[in-house]
Amino acid sequence: MRHHMTRLLAVLTLAVFSTGCESFLDVNTDPDAATAVPGDLLLPAALATIQSNRTIEIGPGNAIFVNIWNSNGSTGVFNEPGRYILSSFTVGNSWSAFYGTALRNLTLMREQALEADPVRENVVAQADIMRAYVFWVLTMLWEDIPFTQATDGANFPQPEFDSQETVLRGIVAMLEEAVERADPDGVAGVVGGDLLYDGDMENWIRFANSLRLRTLMFIRNQDPSVDSQIEALLNGPLIREHAHEARFPFFDTPGNENNVWRLNTNFGGFTGAGNGNIYLFAGSDLVDLMNDLDDPRRATYFAFAMNDLSAAGGGGVATDEYHGQRAGVRSWNDARTSAISQNIFRRDWPNRIIPAAEVWFYEAEFRAEQGQLGQAHASYIAGVERALNFFNGQPGAISAGDQTAYLASLPQSFTSTSGALNAIWAQQYIEVFDRAPENWAHWKRTKYPALEVAEQAALGDIIRRYSQATAEAAANPNSNARVGIPLDQPMWFER
Amino acid sequence: MMKRLLVVVFALALAAPAVEGQTATFTGTITDARTGAPIPGAQVYIEQLQRGVLTNVDGQFRFPELATGTYEVRIIHIGYRRVTETVTISAGVNTRDFALTQDLIDIDAIVVTGQQIARQAREVSYSISTVTAESLTRARETNFVNALAGKIPGVEISPQSGNLGGSTRITIRGISSLSGDNQPLFIVDGVPISNANIVAGTSQSRLTGAIDVGNRGADINADDIESVTVLKGAAAAALYGQRAKDGVILITTKRGQRIEGQTVTANSSIRVSDPLVLPSFQNEWAQGSAGSYTPTSLNGWGPRIRGQEVENIRGETVNLRAHPNNVRDFYEQGVLTINSFSFSSADDRSDFRLGITRQEESGTLPNSRQSRTSVSLNTGYTLTDRLRARMSGSYSSTDSRGRAVQGGNDPNVLTSIVNALPRTLDIADLRNYRNEDGTQRALGTFTNNPFWVANENVFTTEVGRVLGSTTLEYTPAPWMTITARGGTDFYTENRRNINAVGTVDRMDGLFSLDVIQERQLNFDLLAEARRDLNEDFNLRGILGYNVNTTEVRVQRNLAEVLTVPGLLNFANAGANNPANSSSERRLFGVFGDVTLGFRNYLFFNVTGRNDWSSTLPVENNSYFYPSFNTSFVFSDAFDLGGEIFSYGKLRANYAQVGSDEAPYQLDFRFFPVSSVFGQYGTNVNFPFGGRTAFNATATIPPADLKPQNQVSMELGGEFQFFEGRLGVDLTYYDIRTKDQILSVPVPQSTGFAFNRTNVGEVSNRGIEAALNLNPVRTAQFNWDLDINYTRNRNEVVSLADDLEEIVIQSGFSSLQIKAEPGTALGIYGPGFLRDEDTGLPIINQANGLRQEGPITRLGDVDPKFRLSFNNALSFGDFRLAFLIDWREGGHIFSQTVSTLRSGGLAEETLVNRDGSFIDEGVIVEADGTTRPNDIPVQNMQAFWQQYNQQQIHEGKVFDASNARLREVRFDYQLPRSWLQATPFAQASIGIEGRNLWLFYKKIPHIDPEVGLFGSAANGQGIEWNVLPSARSFGMNLQVRF
């Protein structure tokens, strides 16, 4: 018995040992993750992260900063953008979405394309154009940001912050290089994962040039010497028609819808009467401007007041009146304020980056600044046309008659640069309403319209920037100099 | 309480062949010399025959068919002095009674140490504490871990909430790992088991819509536990390797005993429970703002309640009046029943115990329930005189429903809804939570009806778990034992979370199903040898080998946009977000343990272990760690034992323990994306427009990773006086955990968020003291008092170069638990802006309000000390036991208190309601000088809202000191004479209660013994809309027959 047992134990022990230590321990590969994926698969998540952030994180807040929208206290859960109070979540989530998710994946995608043999030039171009856009967003929100040393942790574990001028000029250079790389006849770039253009490099080139144009318009506020570059760009491929528009799509499919539509749906926020919602309302600066112009887009943008319309005699408003709310007022309790319409808060409302109208307005502004008022006017009209007919075939479409009448009601020529600029900027303020941070940036660049500081504002002036993200501040000593800058301090490009 | 442990193992050693010859019978009764009461379960052992029996409930023993002759008879019972007498047995019946004297010193005490090895307490060189079955089931808990509270110095037990089946965090000798998991290793009958607390909830977050799903260690049924031994330090744990770095909870289950008349036991409790602490509300002011009424506001800033006619939230005209109990009336009285039966027996060769327990509990939250059925079996058999086999195992099935959603940023967080109810709202009005058309009668546009949440959005869990072990013990020679033990722990947990169609903020409805499987396999092979080298020296050695594998698989799907309301089928969803993950860890280790004893009073022990882990880089995956231990019973060495000073022992040890990395951290990984984040619950799902996507890891994988290393040193002494009526046990320890494996935050502008690396050192130094007193001891009356004192000083010694701090856990709005070199883990967040000279708040001239200042340290996570008083009194057949538990110091952040105040609902917001108030502080003049604040606030609403503003946390952090009556049991042992006509051999009836009286606390409105983050994260000190803890009170009946 004893021998049996000893033998049994010896066999058992040997059996266990002989399975081999190294092979036994060789189980440290995650079966639920990949260790390599083609760069093409990295693009969709980067794009979706950018669009989700722009739509719901910075989205309504930026529009509220410049009184395009207003919130009736509903956003007071975490922050109060109407009074320029920021949510630390919005700040942290945005920094991390743009640097931590979008730029990481875009940079890896770029590196893989460069390492491929042959180099996938169009993939590099797509990555660089998107990277340029992300850096543009970052500098619009924070001004000085890590740029030249960003996303290169091996060489720059604690990236230095670059001035906004460096960033903006760097973006221009980055886009220029991307356009040089891009080759519509070359080896295909990312096609299936390209939510913007399905791999159409002609459109990517238009997008890159238009973004370059936009960036130069910001630089020229301080440095008119870039005018020659603008002139050159205006003669090249740009986003001039809706088919060229740079936009992130949303879809009708559940889970793929526009975030703001989802928010309203989750809370049952859509109101049957008046096609409105209970979260987001019109800002008075936008409505007043549109009322002055008798703008037909009001019926597209806004629903009538959410409260009882039958109470028109007792506090309600007549159905053809639009009212906005002054910035900073919250929890108003009257039936006058127009809600944002379900024409806008709909499942597949796209997250637009650069529409055709924006490019035409830049051209109009540039020509007006050059004193070429005739060309300026033509571009201005072309921009307004595209801003109006963008809705053709969509909910809230403006009838052809209304479009024609509106165009006819606008100045039929410009007589002065300042008059031209005011007309152009007014149209741009109306047009850029749904795009963050473009709407906020547009106001900072043009200061049009003249905004009043919000009621009970936390700042002495209109908010200009986000506060420094705490995660970056904790890990990057170079961030320290950026902490504590007053949020109403203008940015470098402002004048 | 401690140190006195019956090791039933020895019962097995009693088997021996019978002796042939003329037969006689030997019987007798064993009694307590002081009280004369019979002692059941005492061992009566005949040395020459190697044969023994246990006494029955009447203290009687009987040896039939003995050969006549002279024998050495030994009587052993825990807590009594051993008696050895020579007895001559002649033909016929021989009767001999023995009276045992209580032995408070218990010189022969045996403790179970690592790997189920029994050792003399005197040779153990580290602090070891044991809680016995009686103490664990005194006022039974569904989570037995809670029953350890206050009973062991150095062990911090932190229940996380009043949720049924909520988790309890155990911290032994402080937080050593910054990575989060500091939970000790759970061992049941020698086999490691899971004590996981896997994150749950729609957001899979411990913060957003967090649901406390409990710690899996709670699946162990308290009625099956014979004892729980806590090994606190690395020295104690060397035999278990790295997983024991945070200590070991060593559970020994009950075995069958050969006690006549104690074959079947039944133990039944019924208790009722209600919230221990609810907020103190004001009942004078209605909802609204600045004194004017708004029907839809959920606060108390409206007009004074005077019976005035107003429109309510539903548009009905009502007279305003207060409903002071509307929050209390939301909660229900919980009922707990525990019925436990055991069937046990033993003979010379075998022992058998079958236990069956059924628990049913309804909670204080409407519609919350938990039930558990446990079946356990423990049986051993002596196959030959050299081979013994044992199998023990249990199956448990636990179902729960209606756990509360806690934290924030989720529409189902119940306490935040309930506490915010206007004082004018009648809770009865909310009970009917549906409109006639079936839709929800919500609280306005943004808030769910709490009864809708409780009844429609029900979170359920189902856990089935099997754990068990098989042991073969072979004794090739009397001095040698070889043990092979294999064990498994396997459980499957299904979690289902529902947000019904029509839920505010989830209007389209959703449900998620998580299936979690964890499987652990463990095999140990041990050879133990004992040899007396000569009269003075003896040697004992152990060689061991261990293999352990742990696999966890999680599969989940979140189904959104439900087409047919109430139909929980994935195909009924507009969007499905499936996700699966898994992890596997394999370890093996070899270890040795050598003890040299000198004259049974001086012992030297050396251990060494080498582990190989699958999770570390191949070149660094092998790591060795030693320990050196010594103990010295100086009272024996110098023959000091006397009536006043009876026993003295000194002990010292030095130990290292290494530990590995989590699985799969070494590769650069790309994860398939199921959704990307969208604020306010608006995530964007993939496939998106038909595209799939991948996201590169945000954590840079480690290069050249080393095992984490813990070095500990412990000094201690045990002293007994007055023949054991006063015992003192003192321990000092110093534990340093170096090369921590941590995800160190890197600037996100590098594109990454973390770098996984070895970093930093944390030290925990502390004192543990146990004082055991027996102040009164007479024939009728006895009083035992154990006092436990714990003081731990945690310090983050260093972090990575350049790193000034690491955020260990973050709450909302810059609320953080941080590690900062030179200090203990603390709670940080923006404080009030303060004047540097006076330290007073700088008041905003414009409105008289305080302002947001920089992020500062707001409090300590750890308490200054813990002190508990454990009393056991007996008077005849009456017994009373109660435990008072005191925690002093440490802080807690309370979102609940903050919300009550900013909402004008807390009682203290009554002060100055009609008038104004000038806050203490300074005004900074234009020239930089200051003057005392003289600007009144606009109203108290403005004051309290700014004081509790979401970005300023200083006003929300409170001293967490508290003292409570944690357990009480009063019982009566029915006299035997009453039972003679019944089938019962023994019966007792008792009343019992838990968590009955919180008589000292500094935080208003809540019990500070709660937490949000569950047991598996370093997030203690943060309370965020956590369900109030419960108190319970009821009856208990125990019978044996």
Side-chain angles (χ1 to χ4, degrees):
Chain A
M1 184 65 206
R2 179 174 170 180
H3 289 297
H4 283 311
M5 280 310 299
T6 319
R7 219 172 297 151
L8 178 65
L9 285 170
V11 168
L12 261 176
T13 312
L14 272 176
V16 175
F17 273 110
S18 64
T19 54
C21 164
E22 291 313 322
S23 64
F24 174 74
L25 293 178
D26 189 16
V27 291
N28 206 28
T29 305
D30 188 345
D32 303 309
T35 48
V37 295
D40 309 42
L41 288 174
L42 292 173
L43 187 59
L47 299 183
T49 301
I50 300 166
Q51 74 186 94
S52 179
N53 182 281
R54 288 179 74 225
T55 306
I56 193 74
E57 189 77 65
I58 65 174
N62 283 194
I64 292 169
F65 289 158
V66 289
N67 202 29
I68 287 174
W69 288 347
N70 212 333
S71 77
N72 199 9
S74 59
T75 53
V77 181
F78 288 117
N79 58 335
E80 184 104 48
R83 296 176 181 178
Y84 318 138
I85 296 170
L86 287 174
S87 155
S88 55
F89 304 119
T90 291
V91 172
N93 291 343
S94 303
W95 187 269
S96 121
F98 293 126
Y99 274 116
T101 302
L103 285 177
R104 176 177 68 251
N105 288 306
L106 291 168
T107 304
L108 288 166
M109 169 182 151
R110 178 180 201 273
E111 282 168 4
Q112 286 193 16
L114 283 171
E115 283 162 15
D117 187 23
V119 173
R120 298 181 66 191
E121 297 286 359
N122 279 331
V123 177
V124 179
Q126 287 168 312
D128 281 344
I129 295 165
M130 274 326 297
R131 288 172 70 226
Y133 177 64
V134 172
F135 281 118
W136 184 86
V137 172
L138 284 162
T139 190
M140 289 302 128
L141 298 176
W142 282 281
E143 191 181 24
D144 292 6
I145 53 163
F147 175 72
T148 53
Q149 297 185 353
T151 63
D152 184 11
N155 293 311
F156 304 106
Q158 294 174 336
E160 285 181 6
F161 282 62
D162 294 298
S163 71
Q164 187 168 57
E165 181 178 3
T166 307
V167 177
L168 291 175
R169 291 187 196 277
I171 289 169
V172 171
M174 190 184 277
L175 290 165
E176 209 173 326
E177 194 191 319
V179 169
E180 277 169 26
R181 280 187 192 275
D183 178 6
D185 302 322
V187 179
V190 175
V191 178
D194 177 5
L195 287 155
L196 270 65
Y197 294 122
D198 292 321
D200 180 342
M201 292 311 295
E202 305 266 9
N203 273 336
W204 276 97
I205 291 169
R206 289 189 183 96
F207 174 27
N209 284 333
S210 304
L211 182 57
R212 221 164 117 204
L213 171 65
R214 177 198 281 177
T215 309
L216 290 166
M217 291 300 288
F218 278 73
I219 297 173
R220 85 177 291 284
N221 250 16
Q222 297 297 340
D223 175 16
S225 76
V226 297
D227 284 1
S228 57
Q229 294 183 55
I230 294 174
E231 188 69 57
L233 274 174
L234 288 173
N235 296 318
L238 287 167
I239 297 171
R240 295 216 178 248
E241 301 304 334
H242 299 313
H244 307 154
E245 183 177 74
R247 54 147 84 175
F248 301 111
F250 282 106
F251 303 93
D252 281 340
T253 336
N256 287 181
E257 310 101 334
N258 184 296
N259 308 70
V260 180
W261 180 88
R262 170 53 55 194
L263 173 71
N264 274 287
T265 303
N266 284 350
F267 275 94
F270 289 125
T271 51
N275 202 30
N277 80 96
I278 56 172
Y279 286 102
L280 287 160
F281 297 82
S284 53
D285 286 279
L286 179 63
V287 174
D288 292 351
L289 185 60
M290 293 175 87
N291 281 341
D292 287 350
L293 293 168
D294 199 18
D295 196 308
R297 282 170 290 184
R298 287 173 298 172
T300 310
Y301 286 12
F302 309 120
F304 293 109
M306 61 176 276
N307 291 348
D308 188 6
L309 291 176
S310 67
V317 289
T319 50
D320 58 350
E321 280 184 26
Y322 295 91
H323 290 274
Q325 200 44 254
R326 168 157 157 58
V329 177
R330 76 163 173 208
S331 303
W332 59 83
N333 204 14
D334 66 37
R336 289 168 49 87
T337 305
S338 307
I340 306 303
S341 165
Q342 292 172 35
N343 296 325
I344 307 301
F345 292 160
R346 57 175 218 239
R347 292 170 194 262
D348 60 348
W349 179 261
N351 182 254
R352 300 190 293 169
I353 305 171
I354 306 183
E358 181 178 335
V359 171
W360 287 106
F361 288 138
Y362 286 139
E363 186 171 42
E365 180 183 334
F366 180 72
R367 297 293 174 213
E369 291 267 20
Q370 309 284 346
Q372 302 160 348
L373 297 179
Q375 287 187 43
H377 186 264
S379 297
Y380 160 76
I381 293 295
V384 178
E385 268 174 357
R386 280 159 185 78
L388 296 174
N389 66 27
F390 172 80
F391 293 96
N392 287 2
Q394 299 192 50
I398 299 149
S399 72
D402 281 354
Q403 291 189 35
T404 312
Y406 183 61
L407 289 170
S409 74
L410 296 175
Q412 292 309 295
S413 64
F414 292 144
T415 53
S416 71
T417 295
S418 63
L421 289 178
N422 281 342
I424 295 162
W425 287 341
Q427 286 301 329
Q428 210 169 358
Y429 180 74
I430 295 167
E431 194 278 329
V432 78
F433 74 102
D434 69 322
R435 304 200 291 285
E438 282 80 356
N439 42 21
W440 189 19
H442 166 78
W443 182 86
K444 285 186 273 187
R445 185 176 71 86
T446 62
K447 301 294 183 304
Y448 189 95
L451 298 177
E452 249 186 285
V453 176
E455 271 186 16
Q456 298 194 45
L459 304 170
D461 196 356
I462 310 290
I463 187 167
R464 297 305 218 290
R465 62 186 65 240
Y466 279 176
S467 55
Q468 209 52 43
T470 49
E472 183 78 15
N476 188 356
N478 291 317
S479 171
N480 291 347
R482 306 296 305 163
V483 174
I485 295 177
L487 300 186
D488 53 1
Q489 181 177 304
M491 290 188 171
W492 167 80
F493 69 80
E494 290 186 53
R495 63 176 182 199
Chain B
M1 175 195 81
M2 302 186 306
K3 293 186 300 184
R4 293 176 187 165
L5 170 66
L6 173 63
V7 180
V8 189
V9 182
F10 284 178
L12 285 164
L14 306 180
V19 178
E20 299 294 326
Q22 195 180 5
T23 61
T25 303
F26 176 38
T27 69
T29 305
I30 313 290
T31 54
D32 183 305
R34 180 170 60 90
T35 63
I39 301 175
Q43 293 178 41
V44 184
Y45 187 71
I46 300 176
E47 197 74 49
Q48 288 85 344
L49 304 177
Q50 295 199 347
R51 195 171 147 191
V53 294
L54 297 173
T55 54
N56 67 12
V57 281
D58 296 321
Q60 294 160 343
F61 68 91
R62 185 164 185 270
F63 286 92
E65 297 179 4
L66 280 185
T68 54
T70 303
Y71 297 100
E72 288 273 292
V73 176
R74 202 164 73 212
I75 320 289
I76 304 171
H77 191 61
I78 186 86
Y80 289 91
R81 288 216 181 113
R82 179 184 295 204
V83 171
T84 307
E85 281 191 28
T86 307
V87 177
T88 304
I89 304 292
S90 44
V93 177
N94 300 264
T95 303
R96 177 70 190 273
D97 298 336
F98 298 86
L100 300 187
T101 312
Q102 277 193 28
D103 179 11
L104 301 171
I105 299 176
D106 206 8
I107 282 171
D108 303 308
I110 300 292
V111 291
V112 175
T113 62
Q115 295 293 0
Q116 296 294 92
I117 292 161
R119 285 195 169 165
Q120 293 185 83
R122 57 168 52 217
E123 71 169 86
V124 174
S125 62
Y126 38 79
S127 168
I128 186 166
S129 305
T130 297
V131 178
T132 59
E134 192 199 350
S135 181
L136 283 174
T137 53
R138 185 185 282 165
R140 284 183 290 181
E141 269 278 5
T142 48
N143 188 346
F144 87 92
V145 173
N146 290 334
L148 300 176
K151 290 173 188 160
I152 304 173
V155 178
E156 171 120 8
I157 303 290
S158 318
Q160 298 291 297
S161 74
N163 263 312
L164 283 188
S167 66
T168 296
R169 186 185 157 84
I170 310 174
T171 316
I172 299 179
R173 292 183 174 171
I175 298 161
S176 64
S177 291
L178 298 175
S179 61
D181 193 0
N182 287 288
Q183 294 303 285
L185 177 66
F186 277 58
I187 303 275
V188 175
D189 290 338
V191 174
I193 65 150
S194 168
N195 182 36
N197 171 238
I198 295 173
V199 69
T202 307
S203 310
Q204 300 281 289
S205 158
R206 295 190 192 275
L207 181 63
T208 298
I211 298 176
D212 185 356
V213 286
N215 57 309
R216 285 271 67 86
D219 293 335
I220 310 297
N221 180 24
D223 282 280
D224 294 331
I225 299 175
E226 173 67 32
S227 69
V228 176
T229 298
V230 178
L231 310 182
K232 288 182 265 192
L239 293 181
Y240 289 112
Q242 58 150 13
R243 288 159 296 154
K245 72 181 172 57
D246 298 305
V248 182
I249 305 289
L250 205 64
I251 297 158
T252 306
T253 63
K254 286 177 180 163
R255 294 181 179 184
Q257 291 188 26
R258 185 180 178 175
I259 304 177
E260 206 182 299
Q262 293 209 15
T263 315
V264 182
T265 64
N267 187 354
S268 293
S269 295
I270 178 161
R271 292 214 300 269
V272 292
S273 60
D274 63 353
L276 175 64
V277 179
L278 286 175
S280 306
F281 291 100
Q282 59 89 2
N283 285 301
E284 296 174 28
W285 300 83
Q287 61 270 42
S289 184
S292 60
Y293 179 79
T294 318
T296 50
S297 291
L298 299 176
N299 65 19
W301 292 122
R304 190 179 278 281
I305 301 169
R306 289 198 176 93
Q308 61 270 52
E309 204 166 82
V310 295
E311 192 174 273
N312 71 8
I313 195 165
R314 312 209 181 287
E316 302 148 0
T317 303
V318 294
N319 292 98
L320 273 188
R321 70 180 190 87
H323 293 272
N325 290 324
N326 61 358
V327 171
R328 178 166 293 278
D329 291 346
F330 171 74
Y331 295 99
E332 294 178 350
Q333 190 169 64
V335 178
L336 165 68
T337 58
I338 307 178
N339 290 301
S340 185
F341 302 91
S342 74
F343 306 86
S344 82
S345 186
D347 60 21
D348 290 349
R349 301 188 76 87
S350 63
D351 62 88
F352 174 90
R353 181 181 184 278
L354 174 69
I356 301 168
T357 298
R358 172 76 181 170
Q359 301 174 356
E360 297 211 40
E361 189 170 13
S362 64
T364 55
L365 206 60
N367 200 32
S368 64
R369 275 186 251 302
Q370 175 168 278
S371 63
R372 183 189 298 147
T373 305
S374 311
V375 181
S376 71
L377 183 67
N378 191 344
T379 180
Y381 197 82
T382 304
L383 299 163
T384 72
D385 57 347
R386 290 190 172 148
L387 186 63
R388 285 180 290 185
R390 171 163 302 282
M391 207 163 167
S392 76
S394 67
Y395 169 76
S396 66
S397 166
T398 310
D399 293 349
S400 79
R401 56 181 285 135
R403 287 169 199 258
V405 176
Q406 306 180 136
N409 215 359
D410 186 286
N412 297 301
V413 180
L414 266 175
T415 56
S416 80
I417 300 174
V418 173
N419 284 340
L421 293 177
R423 308 310 303 145
T424 59
L425 207 143
D426 184 356
I427 197 80
D429 179 53
L430 298 180
R431 286 187 197 280
N432 179 15
Y433 57 84
R434 282 184 189 280
N435 293 313
E436 274 176 18
D437 63 357
T439 57
Q440 187 190 166
R441 287 179 75 215
L443 292 171
T445 318
F446 300 118
T447 310
N448 284 295
N449 183 318
F451 290 101
W452 171 278
V453 172
N455 290 292
E456 299 294 325
N457 297 350
V458 181
F459 182 81
T460 57
T461 66
E462 297 163 355
V463 183
R465 185 171 190 175
V466 174
L467 53 92
S469 67
T470 306
T471 308
L472 277 175
E473 209 172 271
Y474 178 57
T475 315
W479 50 271
M480 188 177 190
T481 309
I482 296 170
T483 307
R485 183 184 300 117
T488 187
D489 173 16
F490 178 82
Y491 74 83
T492 301
E493 178 176 5
N494 295 320
R495 299 175 179 169
R496 197 180 63 194
N497 193 16
I498 303 171
N499 280 200
V501 172
T503 299
V504 175
D505 194 14
R506 302 281 192 269
M507 212 48 92
D508 287 340
L510 59 83
F511 76 99
S512 66
L513 188 68
D514 297 17
V515 179
I516 298 166
Q517 285 188 326
E518 183 169 352
R519 187 176 66 165
Q520 187 163 183
L521 295 170
N522 192 76
F523 176 74
D524 283 308
L525 186 62
L526 286 159
E528 187 187 5
R530 300 164 296 275
R531 282 253 109 139
D532 288 336
L533 300 177
N534 56 37
E535 287 246 315
D536 291 334
F537 287 97
N538 67 60
L539 191 67
R540 179 220 291 266
I542 300 168
L543 262 181
Y545 167 76
N546 169 251
V547 189
N548 180 277
T549 68
T550 308
E551 288 172 72
V552 182
R553 294 190 197 292
V554 181
Q555 291 166 51
R556 94 183 289 259
N557 184 30
L558 172 63
E560 295 174 295
V561 188
L562 305 182
T563 311
V564 175
L567 177 61
L568 304 178
N569 185 314
F570 295 141
N572 182 41
N576 283 296
N577 304 272
N580 54 304
S581 64
S582 57
S583 76
E584 180 173 8
R585 180 202 303 265
R586 291 184 180 177
L587 284 168
F588 68 87
V590 291
F591 52 90
D593 178 321
V594 178
T595 307
L596 181 67
F598 177 69
R599 291 187 180 167
N600 210 29
Y601 59 69
L602 181 61
F603 303 90
F604 293 102
N605 167 264
V606 179
T607 71
R609 181 176 179 119
N610 202 94
D611 277 339
W612 288 264
S613 164
S614 67
T615 67
L616 289 165
V618 174
E619 59 281 8
N620 277 341
N621 72 356
S622 160
Y623 42 107
F624 175 80
Y625 41 95
S627 79
F628 306 93
N629 316 281
T630 181
S631 76
F632 179 39
V633 184
F634 65 90
S635 55
D636 280 13
F638 307 122
D639 211 8
L640 298 175
E643 284 198 356
I644 296 174
F645 179 67
S646 325
Y647 177 77
K649 171 182 149 186
L650 297 174
R651 49 190 155 77
N653 71 68
Y654 166 89
Q656 283 185 18
V657 57
S659 55
D660 65 357
E661 164 66 306
Y664 309 148
Q665 301 300 307
L666 305 181
D667 288 327
F668 192 95
R669 288 181 286 172
F670 295 90
F671 299 100
V673 176
S674 64
S675 69
V676 302
F677 177 73
Q679 186 61 273
Y680 312 117
T682 66
N683 287 1
V684 172
N685 295 341
F686 275 89
F688 182 69
R691 277 86 164 177
T692 51
F694 278 76
N695 193 355
T697 177
T699 303
I700 302 165
D704 308 323
L705 196 72
K706 290 181 289 184
Q708 177 169 301
N709 187 21
Q710 188 179 84
V711 178
S712 72
M713 187 271 290
E714 180 184 322
L715 297 171
E718 294 157 30
F719 313 95
Q720 305 225 2
F721 303 89
F722 310 113
E723 296 188 300
R725 292 183 65 180
L726 168 62
V728 180
D729 188 328
L730 293 170
T731 306
Y732 170 80
Y733 60 83
D734 186 337
I735 302 170
R736 285 163 192 274
T737 310
K738 302 176 186 175
D739 295 329
Q740 304 238 350
I741 299 175
L742 203 60
S743 295
V744 177
V746 297
Q748 288 182 333
S749 53
T750 61
F752 292 87
F754 300 101
N755 185 13
R756 192 97 179 143
T757 186
N758 290 106
V759 61
E761 177 178 339
V762 172
S763 93
N764 283 287
R765 279 169 296 177
I767 295 168
E768 295 160 4
L771 193 66
N772 309 309
L773 287 165
N774 180 218
V776 183
R777 184 153 66 109
T778 69
Q780 278 298 306
F781 185 57
N782 188 63
W783 177 21
D784 285 313
L785 170 60
D786 295 336
I787 302 174
N788 291 325
Y789 173 83
T790 303
R791 173 195 160 109
N792 182 67
R793 288 291 174 269
N794 170 272
E795 186 191 340
V796 180
V797 179
S798 63
L799 296 173
D801 306 337
D802 301 338
L803 209 60
E804 289 168 7
E805 58 184 42
I806 291 183
V807 175
I808 300 299
Q809 195 62 257
S810 61
F812 294 117
S813 303
S814 309
L815 174 69
Q816 292 162 338
I817 305 285
K818 283 205 294 205
E820 207 180 356
T823 179
L825 287 186
I827 305 170
Y828 291 75
F832 297 119
L833 186 67
R834 286 181 184 277
D835 175 37
E836 281 183 13
D837 295 335
T838 58
L840 291 171
I842 297 175
I843 303 295
N844 185 341
Q845 299 215 41
N847 51 26
L849 297 174
R850 298 188 184 201
Q851 305 172 81
E852 179 182 341
I855 290 183
T856 136
R857 185 183 178 93
L858 300 173
D860 304 324
V861 170
D862 281 339
K864 287 199 184 98
F865 66 81
R866 295 199 78 118
L867 189 58
S868 64
F869 302 86
N870 209 346
N871 292 273
L873 296 93
S874 64
F875 183 78
D877 290 328
F878 293 96
R879 291 183 301 177
L880 172 67
F882 63 97
L883 170 63
I884 290 169
D885 204 2
W886 174 18
R887 171 198 157 119
E888 184 62 35
H891 293 87
I892 184 166
F893 170 97
S894 176
Q895 179 66 14
T896 298
V897 175
S898 167
T899 314
L900 287 166
R901 289 176 165 182
S902 62
L905 294 160
E907 196 174 29
E908 59 268 30
T909 63
L910 284 174
V911 181
N912 294 324
R913 260 300 168 108
D914 283 318
S916 187
F917 165 71
I918 296 175
D919 196 8
E920 189 182 13
V922 296
I923 302 278
V924 179
E925 309 276 12
D927 61 2
T929 60
T930 59
R931 67 168 202 266
N933 177 32
D934 51 8
I935 314 281
V937 298
Q938 188 192 353
N939 51 38
M940 291 313 286
Q941 178 180 357
F943 171 79
W944 283 113
Q945 284 180 347
Q946 179 68 7
Y947 190 86
N948 291 287
Q949 199 238 73
Q950 52 130 343
Q951 291 278 32
I952 307 179
H953 295 320
E954 187 174 335
K956 307 168 192 169
V957 174
F958 299 86
D959 189 329
S961 299
N962 68 85
R964 73 187 68 223
L965 179 59
R966 191 179 288 283
E967 309 182 334
V968 180
R969 180 182 168 85
F970 178 71
D971 68 34
Y972 176 60
Q973 190 86 36
L974 269 56
R976 308 237 335 118
S977 55
W978 295 11
L979 299 173
Q980 271 164 2
T982 72
F984 306 126
Q986 200 180 353
S988 72
I989 185 161
I991 49 176
E992 59 185 29
R994 287 200 70 80
N995 214 16
L996 283 178
W997 184 25
L998 183 55
F999 55 86
Y1000 162 67
K1001 68 180 176 103
K1002 294 188 171 169
I1003 182 171
H1005 307 302
I1006 67 162
D1007 175 359
E1009 196 178 77
V1010 289
L1012 173 62
F1013 286 90
S1015 60
N1018 280 337
Q1020 61 275 57
I1022 296 182
E1023 183 279 331
W1024 206 294
N1025 299 324
V1026 171
L1027 196 67
S1029 59
R1031 66 177 167 197
S1032 67
F1033 186 76
M1035 284 182 59
N1036 171 264
L1037 180 69
Q1038 294 178 26
V1039 294
R1040 294 169 190 271
F1041 46 96

